[in-house]
Amino acid sequence: MKRTSMEGATCPVARSLDVIGDWWSLLIVRDAQYGLRRFGEFQKSLGVAKNILAQRLKHLVDHGILETQPASDGSAWQEYVLTEKGRSLFPILVALGQWGQEHCFEAGEPRTRVLDKAHGQPVKPLEVRAVDGRVLTVQDVRLERPPTQG
Amino acid sequence: MKRTSMEGATCPVARSLDVIGDWWSLLIVRDAQYGLRRFGEFQKSLGVAKNILAQRLKHLVDHGILETQPASDGSAWQEYVLTEKGRSLFPILVALGQWGQEHCFEAGEPRTRVLDKAHGQPVKPLEVRAVDGRVLTVQDVRLERPPTQG
DNA sequence: AAAGCCCGGTTTCGTTATGCAACCAATTGT
DNA sequence: ACAATTGGTTGCATAACGAAACCGGGCTTT
């Protein structure tokens, strides 16, 4: 009765979710993107139980999304910093954020926003595009499944 | 000891995850994007237990991501189809898929791909852009928290 | 250098969610 | 009319989650 794993799936979405699809991982990554590094910082920011946080940090380190660094302020403790793999989750977080803003808030309700540092403007809504630049919707794409599968 | 809810969070990412952040919801939505509509189709495609699937479908309907339609092939059963809110999850799925392809597969390992119908080409990698069109990385943005919080 | 306070966890234990299988009603095929 | 399929629900065992207690090493204060 273990939670079913998507590790062997041929669908990239399923494999991604297998790694970062739990309730906390993406929130940890989000906080890491914005500079949090220490266990205590994450715990305070997220309000998550310490055992769960420890589990998740270990999971993210094991999967190469975070790595531990010996220090940075001279103290003997370690810090958790994003790897390149972790930083490349940025579009996912932006996509989730934009969807959430659009669909999970009342008008005027206060919310955290991601702003372009250069001009203080919100980020442009993501667009899925073809290699030739056309904007694509779900109707414009199709799924290609691998040849030999079930 | 209930699973902590993000419903009241001011962060849009957290609110999104509160709705679609579990192990199955996005996979159901992905299948729905590619045309699956019936309970049995989802169950067969995902291999999920029927009680869990029923729970998740209800959850997605409650949150306005799917809606039930009376029929389409004349039978007396109902179908689950995406609402506009559900269709707008498309960029999130693309982002997850692209990240998964890049980071969760060995080279040459067979995988499902999303292709532009027009030319059969894979979709272009997503780019986060500023309103003026500049491509942004996480270093180019900052977080603006709502004024009175905490 | 001793006492005490943080930081970063681990342990314990109760509660919740997940997953499998059995069951069941309504619909459909024969 | 009878059997199989569809679309679920119910029960039960197990794994994950969450709160709080605990704990050891680092750091601080004196």
Side-chain angles (χ1 to χ4, degrees):
Chain A
M1 294 78 176
K2 218 173 199 171
R3 171 183 292 164
T4 55
S5 165
M6 312 286 174
E7 209 175 324
T10 61
C11 171
V13 174
R15 291 213 186 174
S16 293
L17 291 174
D18 203 50
V19 178
I20 52 158
D22 67 283
W23 292 100
W24 294 111
S25 290
L26 276 176
L27 294 174
I28 294 171
V29 171
R30 172 199 55 152
D31 279 356
Q33 301 252 12
Y34 295 111
L36 268 53
R37 296 165 156 250
R38 296 282 285 261
F39 187 96
E41 290 178 327
F42 290 114
Q43 212 238 315
K44 188 177 166 194
S45 164
L46 297 170
V48 58
K50 297 204 283 181
N51 51 350
I52 304 296
L53 178 57
Q55 253 176 58
R56 290 297 175 263
L57 288 172
K58 182 174 182 344
H59 179 84
L60 291 171
V61 169
D62 287 348
H63 282 80
I65 291 168
L66 295 176
E67 59 188 357
T68 51
Q69 276 187 359
S72 96
D73 65 342
S75 74
W77 286 297
Q78 63 181 1
E79 293 181 341
Y80 298 90
V81 299
L82 288 168
T83 61
E84 179 53 36
K85 184 172 176 181
R87 280 190 294 273
S88 66
L89 290 166
F90 184 54
I92 297 178
L93 290 169
V94 171
L96 282 167
Q98 289 181 349
W99 188 84
Q101 275 206 50
E102 189 74 21
H103 295 286
C104 304
F105 283 83
E106 304 292 324
E109 202 178 353
R111 70 199 72 179
T112 302
R113 296 190 305 167
V114 172
L115 301 181
D116 173 10
K117 269 182 189 166
H119 307 102
Q121 296 287 320
V123 167
K124 189 174 167 185
L126 281 176
E127 295 164 330
V128 178
R129 289 181 181 270
V131 285
D132 61 17
R134 285 157 29 248
V135 174
L136 301 174
T137 71
V138 69
Q139 287 104 325
D140 301 316
V141 300
R142 64 183 174 82
L143 224 53
E144 182 201 51
R145 292 209 169 72
T148 47
Q149 172 69 9
Chain B
M1 293 80 173
K2 217 175 199 169
R3 173 181 291 166
T4 55
S5 164
M6 313 286 174
E7 210 177 323
T10 60
C11 171
V13 174
R15 290 213 187 173
S16 293
L17 291 174
D18 203 48
V19 178
I20 52 159
D22 67 283
W23 291 98
W24 294 111
S25 291
L26 276 176
L27 294 174
I28 294 171
V29 170
R30 173 199 54 153
D31 280 356
Q33 302 252 12
Y34 295 109
L36 270 53
R37 296 164 156 250
R38 297 282 283 260
F39 187 95
E41 290 177 326
F42 290 114
Q43 212 238 315
K44 187 177 167 197
S45 164
L46 297 170
V48 59
K50 297 203 287 182
N51 52 350
I52 304 293
L53 178 58
Q55 253 177 56
R56 291 294 176 264
L57 288 172
K58 182 175 179 344
H59 179 84
L60 290 171
V61 169
D62 288 347
H63 282 82
I65 291 168
L66 295 175
E67 59 188 356
T68 52
Q69 275 188 2
S72 95
D73 63 342
S75 76
W77 283 298
Q78 63 181 359
E79 294 179 342
Y80 297 90
V81 299
L82 288 169
T83 61
E84 177 53 36
K85 184 173 175 179
R87 280 190 294 275
S88 65
L89 288 167
F90 184 54
I92 296 178
L93 290 169
V94 171
L96 281 167
Q98 291 182 347
W99 187 85
Q101 276 207 48
E102 187 74 20
H103 295 286
C104 302
F105 284 82
E106 303 293 324
E109 203 179 352
R111 68 198 74 177
T112 303
R113 295 190 306 166
V114 173
L115 301 181
D116 173 10
K117 270 181 188 165
H119 305 103
Q121 295 287 321
V123 167
K124 189 174 166 189
L126 282 176
E127 294 164 329
V128 178
R129 289 182 181 268
V131 286
D132 60 19
R134 285 158 28 247
V135 174
L136 300 175
T137 70
V138 68
Q139 287 103 326
D140 301 317
V141 301
R142 64 183 173 82
L143 226 55
E144 183 201 52
R145 293 209 167 71
T148 47
Q149 174 66 9

